[in-house]
Amino acid sequence: EKMPVIIHSREASQDTFDIMKKEHAGTTGGVIHCFSGSAEMAKEYVKMGCYISISGTVTFKNNKKTKDVKYCINTWKKKFKNFEIIEWNEENFDINLNQYTKNAYEAKKWAFVSDYIRLYALYTMGGVYLDTDVVAVRNIEDLLNDRAFIGFENKEFISAAVMGAEKEHPLIKKMLDKYNSVEKKEFGFEDNNSLLVTDILKNEYKLQLNNAEQYLDDGIHIYNDRILSNPSGNSKTIHVFTGTWLERR
């Protein structure tokens, strides 16, 4: 049985397209998640039968929110009535605070800037972080009973699109320390924070890569992908990269 694919590609637009074309991805279709390539490349993917997912995890002051982003944020307001929603951008975060964010910002690699800012916000304030392409389905206040929570994207990786932690949580500190120890000027897929948090949880907290609920040291609660990432009858949030959720709402 042929299944659609979900592709998350950073700094490899042409290579990714060439591979998909070679492997006849047009026969299955799928989603190009967090697409950041050219308009011409987007048209080629559409011709191939793919959906294009465009998201911004941190909104910069000169950017306009898309219709889908506004829809997602409105679901937060409806489902998270007791939460204060804070938008992080240049007005409340010093881009020059960290060499990593400074270099990423100057290179216009917004997704990598947001990788750091979400951790900074969680570590200094505590709370819940959501990508702007996350739909709220149910209230999440019960998730706050744990010191930190995050969930699988699939059986191999943890997703950083939805995560929560108390102020100054050790896991968030470990992730920040990784960013503070490098001064990158080039940014690739291997640098994204979903891979980073997966590696730290696996190597330092004994995470089992099995897409199952787990309780780890430091009060970390891991959820399966049907709670925070992919759609199900038990979903609290849904990361829209999973397909045409917005069209089916």
Side-chain angles (χ1 to χ4, degrees):
E1 182 181 358
K2 294 182 179 180
M3 301 291 288
V5 297
I6 298 174
I7 302 295
H8 191 144
S9 173
R10 289 190 183 182
E11 304 301 302
S13 295
Q14 189 62 54
D15 289 341
T16 302
F17 178 79
D18 291 343
I19 291 171
M20 292 182 66
K21 188 174 182 179
K22 179 181 178 181
E23 298 299 328
H24 306 290
T27 62
T28 62
V31 178
I32 309 301
H33 175 48
C34 287
F35 178 76
S36 59
S38 66
E40 291 74 17
M41 183 69 71
K43 292 177 182 178
E44 292 300 316
Y45 275 124
V46 171
K47 290 179 182 178
M48 191 181 287
C50 294
Y51 289 93
I52 302 295
S53 165
I54 302 174
S55 65
T57 49
V58 172
T59 304
F60 295 97
K61 61 185 179 181
N62 293 325
N63 286 353
K64 294 183 179 179
K65 297 181 181 66
T66 66
K67 179 181 177 181
D68 287 347
V69 166
K70 291 179 179 178
Y71 169 77
C72 289
I73 294 175
N74 283 335
T75 67
W76 307 353
K77 295 176 180 178
K78 292 177 181 178
K79 300 297 181 180
F80 309 153
K81 294 184 182 297
N82 294 326
F83 285 71
E84 176 187 3
I85 298 174
I86 300 175
E87 177 182 312
W88 288 84
N89 53 42
E90 301 99 327
E91 295 181 353
N92 55 7
F93 178 80
D94 181 4
I95 296 297
N96 297 314
L97 177 68
N98 173 274
Q99 190 64 44
Y100 181 92
T101 56
K102 182 177 184 295
N103 290 345
Y105 187 83
E106 290 176 350
K108 298 183 179 181
K109 304 300 182 183
W110 315 126
F112 294 99
V113 178
S114 76
D115 283 353
Y116 185 90
I117 295 180
R118 76 187 68 185
L119 300 174
Y120 172 86
L122 288 174
Y123 189 74
T124 58
M125 299 180 64
V128 179
Y129 170 85
L130 295 94
D131 276 1
T132 54
D133 60 348
V134 169
V135 174
V137 180
R138 292 182 175 85
N139 193 291
I140 58 172
E141 288 187 29
D142 59 311
L143 303 186
L144 304 181
N145 293 327
D146 295 296
R147 293 179 61 196
F149 69 85
I150 198 167
F152 280 94
E153 177 176 312
N154 53 47
K155 66 180 181 180
E156 296 180 349
F157 297 108
I158 294 292
S159 170
V162 180
M163 57 193 303
E166 65 184 18
K167 181 179 179 180
E168 298 182 354
H169 190 278
L171 171 62
I172 307 303
K173 178 64 162 57
K174 290 177 187 292
M175 296 180 70
L176 282 172
D177 286 346
K178 292 289 186 180
Y179 285 108
N180 290 331
S181 65
V182 297
E183 296 184 6
K184 295 183 69 66
K185 292 188 177 180
E186 296 183 0
F187 304 87
F189 175 78
E190 68 278 2
D191 303 305
N192 82 75
N193 61 358
S194 288
L195 296 183
L196 173 62
V197 69
T198 300
D199 286 343
I200 291 176
L201 289 172
K202 181 176 65 173
N203 297 327
E204 301 189 36
Y205 287 93
K206 299 180 180 179
L207 170 74
Q208 300 297 308
L209 296 180
N210 56 11
N211 195 21
E213 184 176 21
Q214 300 170 50
Y215 294 89
L216 308 180
D217 290 344
D218 291 331
I220 302 172
H221 192 162
I222 307 295
Y223 290 90
N224 67 55
D225 73 323
R226 297 296 182 176
I227 303 299
L228 301 177
S229 188
N230 295 318
S232 76
N234 297 316
S235 294
K236 288 183 177 293
T237 58
I238 296 174
H239 195 193
V240 177
F241 74 79
T242 50
T244 57
W245 174 258
L246 290 175
E247 283 76 25
R248 295 180 291 152
R249 64 181 180 269

